[in-house]
């Protein structure tokens, strides 16, 4: 049986509750929901990448990518992405940003995806998690 290990990139602070930014067990890597916070600066509170959906979505995707990389994975290993939006009116804009991002990443086979609408802490517009299968 393979060991379950926590995955935390250097750019991420300790989670605010008892969870890991990512968990790897065998060839499975689950990335916890990431939001549009800029990389962590010691002694400073989390800061969003900006107030817009574009800024937050791009930073959120980069935060997911950093967990993937810390777990020895990349976007080509991702089989499922879940996107959580706070506003149904953001769906089309988020899709444009999302599509352009993955085109730039050179991902040839897109992951499956689900999008749902949720409440997030004040100022946050999007959260994204991912499931990767390695090897």
């Amino acid at each position: 049986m393979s060991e379950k290990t926590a995955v935390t990139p250097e750019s991420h602070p300790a989670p605010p509750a008892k969870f890991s930014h990512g968990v790897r067990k065998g060839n499975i890597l689950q990335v916890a929901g990431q939001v549009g916070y800029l990389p962590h600066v010691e002694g400073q509170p989390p800061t969003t990448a900006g107030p817009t959906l574009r800024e937050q979505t791009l930073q959120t995707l980069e935060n997911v990518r950093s967990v993937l990389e810390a777990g020895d994975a990349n976007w080509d290993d991702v089989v499922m992405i879940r996107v959580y939006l706070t506003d149904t009116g953001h769906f089309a804009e988020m899709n444009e940003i999302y599509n352009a991002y993955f085109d730039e990443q050179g991902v040839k086979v897109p992951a499956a995806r689900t999008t749902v609408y949720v409440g997030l802490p004040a100022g946050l517009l999007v959260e994204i998690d991912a499931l990767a299968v390695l090897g």
Side-chain angles (χ1 to χ4, degrees), residues 20 28 34 36 50 89 115 124:
S20 300
I28 303 291
Q34 301 293 305
T115 303
L124 293 174

Side-chain angles (χ1 to χ4, degrees), residues 26-74:
N27 69 334
I28 303 291
L29 172 62
Q30 176 64 58
V31 177
Q34 301 293 305
V35 295
Y37 288 143
L38 294 169
H40 178 65
V41 176
E42 192 64 41
Q44 293 184 5
T47 304
T48 59
T52 69
L53 181 65
R54 171 172 289 287
E55 292 165 314
Q56 289 190 29
T57 300
L58 291 173
Q59 184 63 52
T60 300
L61 288 164
E62 285 302 300
N63 292 342
V64 171
R65 186 177 62 78
S66 68
V67 178
L68 289 169
E69 289 177 353
D72 297 322
N74 61 53

Side-chain angles (χ1 to χ4, degrees), residues 107-128:
V107 174
K108 293 183 182 21
V109 178
R113 191 184 99 192
T114 297
T115 303
V116 297
Y117 301 95
V118 299
L120 291 173
L124 293 174
L125 304 173
V126 61
E127 181 174 352
I128 298 173

Side-chain angles (χ1 to χ4, degrees), residues 53 90-100 113 115:
L53 181 65
H90 287 160
F91 187 74
E93 181 183 359
M94 190 280 302
N95 274 339
E96 289 176 20
I97 297 162
Y98 182 96
N99 289 343
R113 191 184 99 192
T115 303

